Amino acid sequence: MTRVQPDGRTGPAPALSAILTWTLPLVWTCFFLWVQSPVLMVQIGGIGGGVFLLAVVVAVWRLRCIGVPKRFRTNPWLTAALVLSSIAILGVGVYGIL
């Protein structure tokens, strides 16, 4: 994938993983210097993970409704597996937030 530079040149676009590899540790370091408590940082990370899990469940059900072929939506075994995994993920997510 290429992108156009501000000066008009074209070149490869930086991969999102490369950008996150450099920026997330810097963000966490700055956040730690502001918070100055490892225990609080772990608690904040747990809450963030719980919220992320809840968002994943919502996104999966939305994707299932709009982006999955009908033959997969009508299969009762796949629906049961999705319901069970959604309940498990919701439980872990709520537990992480609490």
Side-chain angles (χ1 to χ4, degrees):
M1 188 163 117
T2 62
R3 70 178 179 142
V4 178
Q5 305 288 338
D7 61 0
R9 294 180 295 136
T10 59
L16 180 62
S17 61
I19 294 170
L20 293 177
T21 298
W22 284 97
T23 57
L24 285 179
L26 294 173
V27 169
W28 276 107
T29 302
C30 292
F31 193 64
F32 174 74
L33 292 174
W34 182 62
V35 173
Q36 297 182 350
S37 172
V39 174
L40 185 58
M41 292 284 292
V42 170
Q43 290 174 339
I44 291 170
I47 292 169
V51 170
F52 179 76
L53 286 175
L54 298 177
V56 166
V57 170
V58 170
V60 165
W61 279 97
R62 177 166 165 73
L63 179 64
R64 182 181 188 264
C65 292
I66 64 171
V68 175
K70 189 171 178 85
R71 64 187 166 120
F72 295 115
R73 285 182 281 172
T74 57
N75 187 331
W77 292 105
L78 291 177
T79 301
L82 183 60
V83 168
L84 286 175
S85 64
S86 295
I87 290 170
I89 292 170
L90 279 172
V92 171
V94 169
Y95 180 75
I97 291 173
L98 298 177

